[in-house]
Amino acid sequence: MEASFGPTFSAVAGGAKEGSSNYKQHRRTPSSSSTLTYSPRDDDDGMPPIGTPRRSDSAISIRSLHSESNMSLRSTFSLHEEEEDTEPQVFAEQPSVKLCCQLCCNVFKDPVITTCGHTFCRRCALTSDKCPVDAAKLTVVVNNIAVAEQIGELFIHCKYGCRATACAAGGAAASNATVAGKPGAFEVDPLGCPFTIKLSARKEHESSCDYRPVRCPNNPLCPPLLTMNLEAHLKECEHIKCPHSKYGCTFIGNQDTYETHLEVCKFEGLKEFLQQTDDRFHEMQLTLAQKDQDIAFLRSMLGKLSEKLDQLEKNLELKFDVLDENQSKLSEDLMEFRRDASMLNDELSHINARLNMGILGSYDPQQIFKCKGTFVGHQGPVWCLCVYSTGDLLFSGSSDKTIKVWDTCTTYKCQKTLEGHDGIVLALCIQGNRLYSGSADCTIIVWDIQTLQKVNTIRAHDNPVCTLVSSHNMLFSGSLKAIKVWDIVGTELKLKKELTGLNHWVRALVASQNHLYSGSYQTIKIWDIRSLECVHVLQTSGGSVYSIAVTNHHIVCGTYENLIHVWDIESKEQVRTLTGHVGTVYALAVISTPDQTKVFSASYDRSLRVWSMDNMICTQTLLRHQGSVTALAVSRGRLFSGAVDSTVKVWTC
């Protein structure tokens, strides 16, 4: 530690503690009123000069000392926190250079020891970056109590015995100098308080100093007074008011007339009553203040109770929401369980019927379809499927606005994802080496299957394209109350004709041989593909037609209300209505062999059913999807099913 900033200064302390008293009277002479110049920092060596001790009646002007002393320091000397820097501070003797901060060059204010081991003012240490001695970073460690005690023992002149120096006494300039508290701003006033006091006892003395300026209590307009002159002034003051002036007495006079007035003042005889009234009024004010506090407390408690009540309401609402959610989930699970139970009962009924009819051969294990795998990759429900048999490719359209191309022969993986639509992909169709996709964005996109690239986009309808089918080098697209017929010319589609007379959405289109079958609301219309004229109309029941399939002998359609209607293809007579599904029949597909014909149905109830068209009964129910089954496709004896669970499953015997 540097010698100039050590924690103890016995020599300085001994010089500062002359006498046991906190006060020393100081005889004023003309020479003592001058200010001794003191510059704590020397220009040559950067250190304050150490001069010979001055006489006790000399004055050194230094910036004021102010520290936030801790409790132990206050027990040693009373250095009040409310002391301001603007108060004059003129030392009776020149302070030791060891009591000066090297940053501000003034006597320490709230001295602290930093990490470098040196002592500085707290404010200086907090506002400076580096130590001026060793350039170390300044961080406050602890208060330097020893130095603070020595500063508290220094003697200063009472502030009522100081005045601004001549250089700073000119009007506003004097005020600025006093406020600034810079060295040399104050000097000893020979007409002021003659006492020098310890810095630690300054407040105690100045609060009772006879030279402290006061105002006349009778009239603020009286000239300023010193405390020592107040008593004499009160005897001569002409502005003494009656003590009962607050009750309405208008008397104003001097001490002599005041005593005479009291003898005749009409309020004097009532002073006891007035005093009691004042006391009572004061008690009422206290009571009112107490009541105000009680009301504020009650309001605070009411606010807290209101907050707690709001929190309880929120918690209760949250619990109710969870309860409702759980109840809804239980209800859905129960409904699903009932549907599964109903399907199982129907299956058992069909099995019993087959047993009674003696046709157990339909349950040959070789004819049972099983799930062989699942294609996973779509980010939304799968709405349509289409198979390109030449390359063993499966195309699937989804709500994620994409078409995925799956290898169904070797890798069983997604070959590519086709992107181009701005809406849900609702329909797929293949003609030659071209793939056609219809979407909710009202467009049809043409894709080259060899390169899997988009080659054309057609704005086909004013509403979503629900279904597509191709035949005789023509493409048929179904939408709201309309079927458009397009000639396929390379990658172009030329509108040939629009088929009208439809009363609802065209959700199903199937081309077989020379006929086009369309399903709209509860009607199936049969069109001649060559003339594009309607040649027959089939009326259905059980809701709108959602799907159509055509076999060698039958026309089959699935409806909104869970039914499957079957017509004879030659006579156009309805021959059977198949039941078993408990949800809308979204899709139908056919697998025909020389021995038998099977129709597959996909439903909202998450199941697929296998129907034998020889005897019109359900031979199998397939339950593997976790959502409604919406699309079917067949190829080489295999069945592909797409569902709302975003998957495509492969079924084989």
Side-chain angles (χ1 to χ4, degrees):
M1 184 178 293
E2 297 286 339
S4 59
F5 294 93
T8 59
F9 301 94
S10 57
V12 176
K17 296 182 180 179
E18 294 181 3
S20 60
S21 174
N22 289 335
Y23 304 96
K24 294 198 299 183
Q25 188 156 4
H26 192 76
R27 181 179 296 276
R28 296 281 168 67
T29 64
S31 61
S32 66
S33 63
S34 61
T35 301
L36 296 179
T37 303
Y38 166 60
S39 175
R41 188 180 291 274
D42 187 78
D43 293 335
D44 295 332
D45 55 11
M47 290 294 293
I50 302 178
T52 57
R54 306 285 183 177
R55 296 182 309 176
S56 61
D57 58 346
S58 63
I60 289 83
S61 177
I62 278 296
R63 293 182 64 184
S64 59
L65 176 65
H66 174 220
S67 65
E68 298 175 357
S69 305
N70 55 26
M71 295 304 295
S72 62
L73 186 56
R74 283 185 180 176
S75 63
T76 306
F77 61 94
S78 176
L79 188 59
H80 300 281
E81 293 181 358
E82 61 270 16
E83 183 176 2
E84 300 180 353
D85 289 340
T86 57
E87 292 184 344
Q89 199 169 75
V90 180
F91 288 87
E93 294 183 353
Q94 178 175 326
S96 170
V97 68
K98 296 180 181 179
L99 299 181
C100 296
C101 173
Q102 284 201 14
L103 289 172
C104 64
C105 303
N106 298 319
V107 174
F108 288 117
K109 292 189 294 184
D110 192 8
V112 294
I113 300 175
T114 59
T115 50
C116 61
H118 302 130
T119 299
F120 303 99
C121 304
R122 178 180 294 275
R123 182 181 299 175
C124 296
L126 294 176
T127 56
S128 300
D129 295 331
K130 296 181 179 180
C131 174
V133 178
D134 53 16
K137 184 178 180 180
L138 293 181
T139 302
V140 175
V141 176
V142 69
N143 291 338
N144 195 331
I145 299 176
V147 173
E149 288 178 346
Q150 294 181 66
I151 294 173
E153 294 295 322
L154 296 177
F155 279 87
I156 64 171
H157 290 274
C158 172
K159 70 177 181 179
Y160 302 120
C162 301
R163 66 183 180 187
T165 57
C167 63
S175 175
N176 294 335
T178 302
V179 173
K182 295 180 179 179
F186 298 98
E187 64 182 0
V188 175
D189 184 0
L191 302 178
C193 178
F195 287 99
T196 56
I197 53 177
K198 288 184 179 180
L199 186 58
S200 59
R202 176 177 191 169
K203 286 294 182 182
E204 178 184 354
H205 166 76
E206 291 177 350
S207 62
S208 60
C209 181
D210 289 341
Y211 289 84
R212 181 170 61 90
V214 295
R215 287 286 183 180
C216 175
N218 296 326
N219 187 358
L221 299 179
C222 288
L225 304 168
L226 297 180
T227 303
M228 67 176 72
N229 300 328
L230 179 60
E231 184 177 355
H233 170 77
L234 292 177
K235 293 179 180 180
E236 300 175 356
C237 183
E238 296 292 339
H239 301 92
I240 300 176
K241 294 182 180 180
C242 177
H244 308 302
S245 59
K246 61 182 177 179
Y247 303 119
C249 183
T250 58
F251 169 80
I252 298 177
N254 55 28
Q255 186 68 29
D256 296 335
T257 57
Y258 169 75
E259 295 175 357
T260 304
H261 167 73
L262 288 181
E263 296 176 359
V264 297
C265 182
K266 61 183 179 180
F267 295 99
E268 183 66 18
L270 300 174
K271 65 179 181 180
E272 293 183 0
F273 171 75
L274 295 174
Q275 183 61 40
Q276 292 176 359
T277 303
D278 283 346
D279 294 342
R280 180 61 179 166
F281 183 71
H282 181 65
E283 291 176 1
M284 292 177 65
Q285 286 182 322
L286 293 178
T287 304
L288 182 61
Q290 183 62 39
K291 295 299 182 184
D292 289 340
Q293 293 180 359
D294 294 342
I295 291 173
F297 173 74
L298 291 176
R299 285 178 177 172
S300 174
M301 294 301 296
L302 182 61
K304 293 180 180 179
L305 289 175
S306 178
E307 291 178 0
K308 290 183 179 179
L309 182 61
D310 291 341
Q311 186 63 36
L312 289 175
E313 288 180 354
K314 292 179 181 178
N315 292 338
L316 188 61
E317 290 177 358
L318 181 61
K319 291 181 179 179
F320 275 130
D321 291 341
V322 173
L323 183 61
D324 291 342
E325 184 179 352
N326 292 337
Q327 185 177 2
S328 176
K329 186 176 180 181
L330 288 174
S331 299
E332 292 177 359
D333 292 343
L334 180 60
M335 291 179 63
E336 183 178 354
F337 173 76
R338 287 176 177 173
R339 286 197 299 267
D340 293 343
S342 176
M343 287 192 298
L344 289 175
N345 289 333
D346 292 342
E347 188 72 21
L348 289 175
S349 298
H350 288 302
I351 292 174
N352 289 330
R354 291 181 61 81
L355 289 173
N356 294 333
M357 294 172 64
I359 49 175
L360 297 178
S362 298
Y363 284 94
D364 185 350
Q366 296 298 324
Q367 300 298 319
I368 301 244
F369 280 83
K370 298 179 181 179
C371 182
K372 295 299 183 180
T374 302
F375 292 131
V376 179
H378 279 297
Q379 301 301 312
V382 177
W383 293 108
C384 52
L385 296 172
C386 187
V387 175
Y388 182 61
S389 300
T390 304
D392 287 313
L393 297 177
L394 173 69
F395 299 89
S396 59
S398 169
S399 289
D400 61 14
K401 307 177 184 179
T402 67
I403 302 168
K404 288 191 178 292
V405 185
W406 308 93
D407 181 353
T408 64
C409 183
T410 55
T411 64
Y412 299 97
K413 294 182 179 180
C414 179
Q415 296 284 341
K416 189 172 182 180
T417 298
L418 309 181
E419 298 180 350
H421 282 294
D422 295 326
I424 298 171
V425 182
L426 297 173
L428 293 171
C429 173
I430 290 177
Q431 173 70 25
N433 290 327
R434 300 282 187 267
L435 170 70
Y436 301 89
S437 59
S439 168
D441 62 11
C442 309
T443 66
I444 297 174
I445 294 182
V446 184
W447 309 85
D448 187 295
I449 296 179
Q450 301 300 324
T451 62
L452 296 178
Q453 298 294 326
K454 179 172 68 173
V455 294
N456 198 3
T457 300
I458 298 94
R459 177 75 181 187
H461 290 269
D462 295 330
N463 294 286
V465 180
C466 297
T467 180
L468 293 172
V469 69
S470 63
S471 180
H472 292 70
N473 205 38
M474 290 184 292
L475 179 71
F476 302 87
S477 60
S479 184
L480 178 62
K481 300 182 181 181
I483 299 173
K484 289 188 177 182
V485 184
W486 309 83
D487 278 329
I488 300 175
V489 183
T491 60
E492 298 293 329
L493 293 179
K494 304 295 184 180
L495 181 61
K496 182 174 184 179
K497 186 177 181 179
E498 182 172 345
L499 307 182
T500 58
L502 303 160
N503 56 3
H504 209 268
W505 287 99
V506 180
R507 293 189 174 92
L509 280 178
V510 172
S512 177
Q513 297 180 357
N514 294 322
H515 291 93
L516 173 71
Y517 300 82
S518 65
S520 175
Y521 192 49
Q522 295 184 349
T523 302
I524 296 177
K525 287 192 174 185
I526 304 175
W527 310 78
D528 186 290
I529 291 182
R530 290 164 294 188
S531 64
L532 297 177
E533 297 294 334
C534 179
V535 296
H536 205 90
V537 177
L538 303 178
Q539 297 295 330
T540 70
S541 60
S544 297
V545 177
Y546 269 73
S547 54
I548 297 176
V550 179
T551 71
N552 294 332
H553 305 288
H554 299 99
I555 303 169
V556 187
C557 83
T559 67
Y560 176 77
E561 295 182 357
N562 322 332
L563 302 177
I564 299 175
H565 299 294
V566 183
W567 289 268
D568 185 275
I569 197 169
E570 297 295 337
S571 66
K572 306 299 188 294
E573 296 291 333
Q574 185 170 344
V575 296
R576 188 70 61 89
T577 296
L578 308 180
T579 61
H581 282 297
V582 292
T584 301
V585 181
Y586 282 128
L588 294 170
V590 178
I591 293 182
S592 295
T593 64
D595 298 331
Q596 61 181 344
T597 298
K598 291 184 181 294
V599 172
F600 301 87
S601 60
S603 173
Y604 174 83
D605 61 16
R606 305 184 184 180
S607 72
L608 293 88
R609 285 180 178 266
V610 185
W611 306 88
S612 173
M613 298 310 293
D614 297 333
N615 46 30
M616 303 289 179
I617 64 172
C618 177
T619 62
Q620 190 178 354
T621 300
L622 309 177
L623 293 170
R624 291 298 293 272
H625 281 290
Q626 301 299 313
S628 304
V629 187
T630 57
L632 293 175
V634 294
S635 174
R636 300 183 183 181
R638 296 173 297 176
L639 173 69
F640 302 94
S641 62
V644 173
D645 60 10
S646 307
T647 66
V648 177
K649 294 189 181 294
V650 184
W651 309 83
T652 60
C653 292

